[in-house]
Amino acid sequence: SDETLELMRDSCSEMRDLAMIDLLASTGMRVGEMVLLNRDDVDFAERECVVFGKGDKERMIYFDARTKLHLQTYLDSRNDNNPALIVSLKGVETRLRELGRQLGVHKVHPHKFRRTLATMAIDKGMPIEQLQQLLGHKRIDTTLQYAMVKQSNVKLAHRKYIG
């Protein structure tokens, strides 16, 4: 949920963790896609980058202004020549679980960020086909499983589109 996300952000002592959480939360990308990213892949001016998803399919992902700021701060704080965007000292998933545990939040799976983003996008009215592309799903059925549609929104949509 959004509360968990905020708690995780607030508890980050390392710039890398904050950049990582923001990147996952604002793009909905998979962890496997994030760890393959290099600094050169990121277009900060446009706040976008190309990731290689499942089946080596390329797709464009977009991030928000907060993520841009945290990523740049993190990169500026580094003094290595590693081309990787996020230097994974420890496994990313392990790190996220640790952060979750410190907060008493169990089962912090990076996948939750994708689910949260998908649900939020649907709630705000993003067309499912666009969400499908954003998440890099081959089949729309997969996207639909992610999107937990709130009943209250169904009622509002009915009023808006049908009467």
Side-chain angles (χ1 to χ4, degrees), residues 77-107:
S77 74
R78 277 170 53 180
N79 47 21
D80 58 81
N81 298 321
N82 194 324
L85 180 67
I86 303 281
V87 178
S88 182
L89 305 166
K90 274 187 205 152
V92 172
E93 305 212 18
T94 318
R95 183 68 193 124
L96 287 169
R97 280 201 200 97
E98 264 175 33
L99 285 170
R101 255 203 307 278
Q102 288 163 16
L103 297 169
V105 181
H106 299 292
K107 297 199 175 82

Side-chain angles (χ1 to χ4, degrees), residues 59-61 127-137 143:
R59 81 175 187 285
M60 205 46 115
I61 54 137
I128 194 84
E129 299 82 3
Q130 289 179 11
L131 181 60
Q132 177 188 11
Q133 199 163 344
L134 193 71
L135 294 174
H137 289 152
T143 314

Side-chain angles (χ1 to χ4, degrees), residues 38-49:
N38 285 334
R39 300 177 196 219
D40 300 349
D41 298 331
V42 182
D43 181 338
F44 282 105
E46 293 295 325
R47 297 205 319 253
E48 62 185 33
C49 60

Side-chain angles (χ1 to χ4, degrees), residues 1-25 31 34 66 70 91-114 116:
S1 69
D2 292 342
E3 296 86 43
T4 306
L5 205 53
E6 285 309 319
L7 275 171
M8 284 184 80
R9 278 196 185 101
D10 293 346
S11 72
C12 286
S13 53
E14 288 177 48
M15 215 50 237
R16 183 192 66 138
D17 295 338
L18 192 56
M20 203 164 69
I21 286 169
D22 278 342
L23 193 59
L24 288 170
V31 171
M34 180 178 74
R66 167 157 67 177
H70 290 158
V92 172
E93 305 212 18
T94 318
R95 183 68 193 124
L96 287 169
R97 280 201 200 97
E98 264 175 33
L99 285 170
R101 255 203 307 278
Q102 288 163 16
L103 297 169
V105 181
H106 299 292
K107 297 199 175 82
V108 173
H109 299 297
H111 228 70
K112 274 196 178 154
F113 294 122
R114 271 169 76 77
T116 302

